[in-house]
Amino acid sequence: MSTDHGKQFTVYCSQGPNPWKVVLILEELNLEYHINHNDTKTNAHKEPAFLALNPNGRYPALIDHSNNDFVIWESGAIILYLINKYDKEHKISFPDLESNATATQYLMFQMSGQGPYIGQLAWFSMYHPEKIPSAIKRYADESKRILSVLEDILKDRDYLVGDKVSYADLSFVAWNSLLVIFPDHFGTWKTDYPKVAEWEARLEERPSFKRTTIVREEAAKN
């Protein structure tokens, strides 16, 4: 698979949160990438060309053109690949096994808890053909439970692991930013979970997050 854009990576994206977790990591590591952005309404992610990259037919997928066009999909797996291969200075990872294992623990927590619960809340609130109040309540309550767990973890620290930002923290911010679209359930979340709110504010002040936001907005225009 060839590239004519001169970037080290190609990231296949939609406007859903998971691809932007990957872009945020690329920005943190100052790695050059090209965005291949698609609206999921076009069903490009179900076409043979994309399924050849990701047989699961979901975004994101990443191609590392500097590594024999190595292809990897699933946002968490992509993040771990990038960290293990390209974060040699441990900018957002750690030099010791235990700290990295703990960071990966939180990444798995994000992928198994925060992302799916907020995603299902969005589905049943906005896209499901009929309103099912019990489903909406379940996923809103579970999303709040995740916030309460994070609030407890962050009660005496600024970041999830050690005293610095890591890929563990960064994996949460794209999904957490969606809470604003559920005012009935999360209109007061920053007051209810003040440590989480402070943590998110620190993450959103990072230059990498601001650059990712710009890239995301530009991609949405195309």
Side-chain angles (χ1 to χ4, degrees):
M1 186 173 301
S2 62
T3 175
D4 58 5
H5 45 68
K7 305 296 186 182
Q8 181 176 353
F9 300 94
T10 296
V11 189
Y12 287 79
C13 291
S14 66
Q15 280 297 305
N18 280 330
W20 304 101
K21 290 159 52 179
V22 172
V23 173
L24 184 54
I25 297 298
L26 289 166
E27 287 286 352
E28 283 282 346
L29 297 178
N30 294 313
L31 297 169
E32 292 191 346
Y33 60 90
H34 168 73
I35 295 290
N36 186 313
H37 184 269
N38 294 281
D39 185 334
T40 53
K41 293 178 182 178
T42 68
N43 279 329
H45 56 302
K46 301 299 183 183
E47 296 295 329
F50 184 74
L51 291 174
L53 300 174
N54 180 0
N56 192 37
R58 295 287 188 273
Y59 298 113
L62 177 138
I63 305 174
D64 184 349
H65 300 294
S66 69
N67 187 18
N68 299 311
D69 285 340
F70 176 71
V71 178
I72 186 166
W73 45 276
E74 286 292 326
S75 60
I78 296 170
I79 288 171
L80 291 176
Y81 170 76
L82 293 171
I83 290 298
N84 288 323
K85 188 167 180 63
Y86 294 105
D87 192 19
K88 301 303 184 184
E89 297 178 359
H90 303 294
K91 294 177 180 178
I92 52 172
S93 62
F94 304 91
D96 63 290
L97 172 64
E98 291 77 13
S99 294
N100 272 321
T102 304
T104 300
Q105 161 191 279
Y106 288 120
L107 174 61
M108 298 300 111
F109 178 53
Q110 187 280 317
M111 293 171 59
S112 66
Q114 184 214 35
Y117 290 136
I118 296 177
Q120 290 298 313
L121 175 60
W123 170 259
F124 282 105
S125 297
M126 295 182 286
Y127 302 111
H128 196 67
E130 60 181 295
K131 292 296 182 184
I132 305 178
S134 60
I136 293 171
K137 182 178 185 304
R138 167 175 167 73
Y139 291 114
D141 287 349
E142 284 299 309
S143 298
K144 291 175 183 177
R145 185 183 67 79
I146 298 298
L147 287 171
S148 70
V149 172
L150 291 170
E151 182 75 11
D152 185 60
I153 292 167
L154 293 165
K155 65 179 182 294
D156 57 358
R157 65 184 75 175
D158 289 338
Y159 299 106
L160 293 175
V161 185
D163 59 358
K164 71 172 190 177
V165 68
S166 73
Y167 64 94
D169 306 281
L170 297 166
S171 70
F172 283 88
V173 67
W175 278 98
N176 224 44
S177 64
L178 286 183
L179 296 179
V180 68
I181 69 176
F182 307 110
D184 291 346
H185 301 288
F186 295 100
T188 63
W189 83 264
K190 291 186 177 182
T191 302
D192 298 336
Y193 309 98
K195 297 297 290 185
V196 180
E198 293 170 8
W199 171 65
E200 179 174 299
R202 283 191 293 275
L203 297 172
E204 291 183 351
E205 280 301 309
R206 297 183 68 80
S208 61
F209 180 84
K210 294 179 180 180
R211 289 193 299 268
T212 298
T213 300
I214 293 171
V215 173
R216 187 174 185 177
E217 290 172 350
E218 288 299 316
K221 297 175 184 177
N222 298 328

